[in-house]
Amino acid sequence: MTMSDEKYVHKDCRNYAPIDVRKGFCHVHKKEVPADTEVCAKFERAPKCRYCKNFTADQEKIELGVCEASMSTPKFVAYPDMVAVTCEMYKEA
Ligand code: SF4
């Protein structure tokens, strides 16, 4: 799937700050927005493990995977929605 045909929601946006699992605060519009509804024209994709070249999804466990850049054995467990703003190993896929 490419970035152009992927459907994004507010929780994928760099401007979104989560309040709880269902809603968050938009720093552009200065208001609460639902986590899983369609984005606006100001959308900026946030760095997350699911968009990183180093992330490999677990084929059997949904919403789980590993970081291939991890130096530990076994490799560091990651999940697709993990925000990677501070990760030094993040590589935009
Ligand atoms: S900028 Fe748009 S897409 Fe991003 S959180 Fe705000 S309303 Fe949602």
Side-chain angles (χ1 to χ4, degrees):
M1 187 180 284
T2 65
M3 189 168 163
S4 58
D5 60 11
E6 190 164 344
K7 196 164 167 62
Y8 296 108
V9 292
H10 295 289
K11 70 180 180 185
D12 299 322
C13 180
R14 190 181 271 277
N15 302 311
Y16 178 84
I19 294 171
D20 60 32
V21 73
R22 295 177 57 205
K23 63 183 179 302
F25 185 80
C26 170
H27 287 291
V28 171
H29 297 289
K30 308 288 183 211
K31 65 175 189 179
E32 242 179 53
V33 291
D36 293 313
T37 57
E38 208 169 299
V39 299
C40 78
K42 299 279 189 189
F43 174 77
E44 280 181 63
R45 193 173 81 173
K48 289 185 173 184
C49 291
R50 73 168 79 237
Y51 309 128
C52 179
K53 286 181 181 163
N54 290 321
F55 178 72
T56 301
D58 190 311
Q59 298 305 311
E60 291 169 16
K61 294 182 190 151
I62 296 171
E63 293 299 309
L64 213 58
V66 295
C67 174
E68 301 293 350
S70 166
M71 302 299 270
S72 58
T73 308
K75 293 203 178 291
F76 179 82
V77 172
Y79 59 95
D81 245 359
M82 188 183 287
V83 176
V85 174
T86 59
C87 180
E88 292 173 359
M89 298 181 293
Y90 182 77
K91 282 192 186 156
E92 188 85 21

